[in-house]
Amino acid sequence: MITRLSRLFLRTLRDDPADAEVPSHKLLVRAGYVRRIAPGVYTWLPLGLRVLHKVEEVVRQEMNTIGAQEISLPALLPRDPYETTNRWTEYGDGLFRLQDRKGADYLLGPTHEELFALTVKGEYSSYKDLPVILYQIQTKYRDEERPRAGILRGREFIMKDSYSFDLDEAGLKASYDAHRQAYQRIFDRLGIEYVIVAATSGAMGGSASEEFLANSPVGEDTYVTCRESGYAANVEAVITPAPDPLPIEGLPEAVVHDTPDTPTIATLVEWANRAGVCDRPVTAADTLKNVMVKLRRPDGKIEIVGIGVPGDREVDGKRLGASVEPAEVELLTDADFAANPFLVKGYIGPKALQANGVRYLVDPRVVPGTSWITGADEPGKHVVGLVVGRDFTPDGTIEAAEVRDGDPSPDGRGTLVSARGIEIGHIFQLGYKYTDAFEVDVLGENGKPVRLIMGSYGIGVSRMVAVIAEQQHDDKGLRWPSEVAPYDVHVVIANKDEAARAGAEQVVATLDAQGLDVLFDDRTASPGVKFKDAELLGMPYVLVIGRGWTEGKIELRDRFSGEATDIPADSAVETVLSRVRG
């Protein structure tokens, strides 16, 4: 197919859009692949749509290879199934809710576990029908509070979600493994650098869970790896190795001290060293920081909770949020402190919390026998030597503290190193959450009902376009791998010579006859403008037909290597074919 740039619905921009923060957003807009309509909502223009469709096709091919069958469910969904699983409320403000003219509640689908479960329940009744894997490539909707980075994090996006239904856990494991391998093939074909990390299941539910993260400094996900063992996990899924409890006998009694003007960990440590309360230098790690939060549950109930972490650590909002899902985390307001006078800002301790019925959860490092400097629940007072298991007993542990480089790996075989990535895929072993909710049973081989077990597997298809752009661009523009490039080759006429123009028409026609997709810059613009656009648009190969035509030469530019070589005009088509088809 030949597409002439003179007729293509395309306008490239010389300046970055004002709201663009990351390279992929800047370049996809400047190159005319997408256009913003509203926060988190984008139009796909012809070039962008071609890339998107090619990504979809790679995903579709690999899903079909594992025996998955494609269907398409509606995006407009009734409330009832999501009430059955409680996700109508669990999704909170992230759900787009609406009513029809009769007042019936609907939602725009953020994910489709409920509908897939009901679809299988309605169609299958015998163990002979199983196993089955169904998938769709469809638009999803989530009311992101702060959509950002263009199509990397939008309110409307395209996703491949697939669901496996099996008779037992062995079948689920096989379906999960098949998806895992299919995802690796997909991302390899797309030329994406990625890691597979252990993850949490979040609002989806389920047990085994892994994320595929594309390496990127602009990624919103932080993950950690252990170079010694190969362990890898999203920070939300890191389980802190708890030290062994320490003996309590013989430890000094806890003593309350006047500590005026010490509302922060730094001022507290400074006071402790100045006062000489320990026989060694005191560090922030010797203090117990107590952070107060409110948990807003899906039913609307609010609970105040205290979180205790070593004072040298900050509370990681994502880890805390993952630990308390489906509840949402909020900070306390001045009104909350006024309503609970036992909460003394800067001097909160565990005793007053528990005495007033506030649940107190601590970091796993806060084990019995450890001694801490922490708030004494009075203005200007701290307690030194408060011992876990003697002076207070936490109500439980929580993974909320930040994970840092150098922390011990949960597998005990080295230390952790952090990096950032963009989530491009997530696979879950859901178990029975949704099949229990809808009683999805078939008759087993023995004639008795068998409850089906589910897996859920997602890939961010539209996000993948931005991820490839993020990983593959350079300072001149986009650089598409051949697998997803809008066109196989970009042909540029570099001067106004009629012979060169006629030769370009001939080359383009021959490339088209060989089955290649050709973008033909037949405009009357200057060569400089054409070359800048070619670099910005990012086709893998550019053929420049200009002055060298009279000498029987064409320039071939490789967008990835940056190399430009003169090749014989009479073998140009064969050269391009060998490059494109490998």
Side-chain angles (χ1 to χ4, degrees), residues 66-98:
I66 63 171
Q69 301 174 65
E70 185 173 7
I71 66 173
S72 182
L73 292 171
L76 180 64
L77 304 171
R79 173 177 177 167
D80 288 350
Y82 287 79
E83 278 284 13
T84 300
T85 59
N86 205 36
R87 292 209 296 173
W88 176 263
T89 51
E90 280 185 5
Y91 254 109
D93 293 337
L95 204 63
F96 278 106
R97 298 173 175 85
L98 65 156

Side-chain angles (χ1 to χ4, degrees), residues 239-317:
I239 304 299
T240 304
D244 293 330
L246 300 174
I248 294 175
E249 295 76 15
L251 293 177
E253 291 299 313
V255 178
V256 175
H257 292 263
D258 288 320
T259 59
D261 301 319
T262 56
T264 66
I265 296 298
T267 55
L268 177 60
V269 170
E270 182 183 355
W271 168 86
N273 284 312
R274 189 171 63 247
V277 296
C278 292
D279 57 3
R280 58 176 176 76
V282 173
T283 70
D286 298 310
T287 68
L288 187 59
K289 178 191 300 182
N290 297 307
V291 178
M292 305 304 302
V293 298
K294 288 189 296 188
L295 303 185
R296 184 180 297 275
R297 305 195 182 282
D299 60 7
K301 292 182 179 178
I302 295 176
E303 178 191 11
I304 294 178
V305 175
I307 309 292
V309 299
D312 64 332
R313 305 259 173 176
E314 297 296 330
V315 170
D316 183 317

Side-chain angles (χ1 to χ4, degrees), residues 5 10-17 23-33 35 47 469 472-480 486 490 519 523 528-540 542 557 559:
L5 251 176
L10 173 71
R11 285 294 180 270
T12 57
L13 307 176
R14 295 304 166 207
D15 297 319
D16 294 334
S24 61
H25 187 188
K26 297 173 183 177
L27 292 171
L28 289 171
V29 172
R30 280 187 53 210
Y33 282 71
R35 287 289 184 264
L47 287 179
Q472 302 290 6
H473 73 275
D474 62 13
D475 59 351
K476 298 176 182 178
L478 298 163
R479 299 188 306 178
W480 296 111
H490 186 159
L519 181 62
R523 298 175 298 173
V529 168
K530 292 183 176 183
F531 293 151
K532 283 187 177 297
D533 278 347
E535 291 168 339
L536 179 61
L537 297 179
M539 305 315 137
V542 180
R557 298 183 178 184
R559 187 67 186 87

Side-chain angles (χ1 to χ4, degrees), residues 291-446:
V291 178
M292 305 304 302
V293 298
K294 288 189 296 188
L295 303 185
R296 184 180 297 275
R297 305 195 182 282
D299 60 7
K301 292 182 179 178
I302 295 176
E303 178 191 11
I304 294 178
V305 175
I307 309 292
V309 299
D312 64 332
R313 305 259 173 176
E314 297 296 330
V315 170
D316 183 317
K318 285 191 173 182
R319 277 172 57 76
L320 173 58
S323 295
V324 300
E325 280 186 335
E328 296 182 351
V329 179
E330 300 176 6
L331 295 178
L332 268 63
T333 64
D334 289 340
D336 294 319
F337 281 100
N340 298 278
F342 62 89
L343 298 176
V344 183
K345 280 186 178 182
Y347 301 93
I348 296 171
K351 286 195 170 183
L353 298 180
Q354 294 184 306
N356 287 275
V358 175
R359 198 153 54 107
Y360 184 57
L361 305 174
V362 297
D363 182 84
R365 301 172 187 86
V366 184
V367 297
T370 53
S371 178
W372 302 90
I373 302 173
T374 192
D377 304 304
E378 295 182 54
K381 291 182 182 289
H382 282 86
V383 59
V384 176
L386 198 71
V387 176
V388 183
R390 183 192 71 185
D391 302 317
F392 75 98
T393 300
D395 296 307
T397 60
I398 188 169
E399 294 289 355
E402 63 181 343
V403 178
R404 300 191 303 216
D405 286 8
D407 282 347
S409 176
D411 61 12
R413 296 166 56 193
T415 56
L416 298 177
V417 177
S418 63
R420 300 195 69 79
I422 302 167
E423 182 183 348
I424 51 177
H426 203 161
I427 55 179
F428 306 88
Q429 290 187 24
L430 284 180
Y432 297 97
K433 176 177 178 176
Y434 298 92
T435 53
D436 278 346
F438 299 109
E439 298 181 345
V440 184
D441 297 335
V442 298
L443 284 180
E445 193 170 2
N446 60 3

Side-chain angles (χ1 to χ4, degrees), residues 56-230:
E56 288 180 359
E57 191 54 31
V58 170
V59 172
R60 187 172 279 113
Q61 288 171 8
E62 295 299 341
M63 291 306 300
N64 293 344
T65 295
I66 63 171
Q69 301 174 65
E70 185 173 7
I71 66 173
S72 182
L73 292 171
L76 180 64
L77 304 171
R79 173 177 177 167
D80 288 350
Y82 287 79
E83 278 284 13
T84 300
T85 59
N86 205 36
R87 292 209 296 173
W88 176 263
T89 51
E90 280 185 5
Y91 254 109
D93 293 337
L95 204 63
F96 278 106
R97 298 173 175 85
L98 65 156
Q99 290 185 332
D100 67 10
R101 66 183 66 195
K102 296 180 180 179
D105 287 322
Y106 287 83
L107 67 146
L108 296 179
T111 182
H112 280 73
E113 281 80 359
E114 287 84 350
L115 270 294
F116 272 87
L118 286 170
T119 299
V120 171
K121 177 182 175 70
E123 303 298 325
Y124 278 179
S125 59
S126 169
Y127 75 94
K128 296 178 181 179
D129 298 322
L130 280 300
V132 66
I133 298 172
L134 302 175
Y135 77 97
Q136 63 177 348
I137 297 175
Q138 191 232 41
T139 304
K140 308 288 188 182
Y141 300 88
R142 294 178 191 171
D143 191 3
E144 294 283 353
E145 183 178 2
R146 288 180 293 275
R148 58 176 297 274
I151 57 173
L152 272 177
R153 191 171 187 84
R155 288 176 166 154
E156 177 186 270
F157 54 95
I158 296 170
M159 179 178 170
K160 187 284 301 177
D161 52 333
S162 54
Y163 302 85
S164 61
F165 294 83
D166 288 278
L167 295 168
D168 52 32
E169 291 190 5
L172 171 59
K173 185 180 184 305
S175 296
Y176 184 93
D177 291 344
H179 275 86
R180 196 178 195 271
Q181 293 168 23
Y183 277 30
Q184 290 175 278
R185 291 193 298 270
I186 289 168
F187 301 137
D188 289 344
R189 286 180 61 180
L190 296 177
I192 294 173
E193 295 180 8
Y194 66 95
V195 294
I196 306 174
V197 302
T200 58
S201 297
M204 305 294 184
S207 53
S209 174
E210 290 178 294
E211 280 182 350
F212 294 75
L213 300 178
N215 302 324
S216 174
V218 305
E220 290 189 327
D221 288 83
T222 301
Y223 67 93
V224 292
T225 58
C226 175
R227 292 168 180 159
E228 293 86 351
S229 67

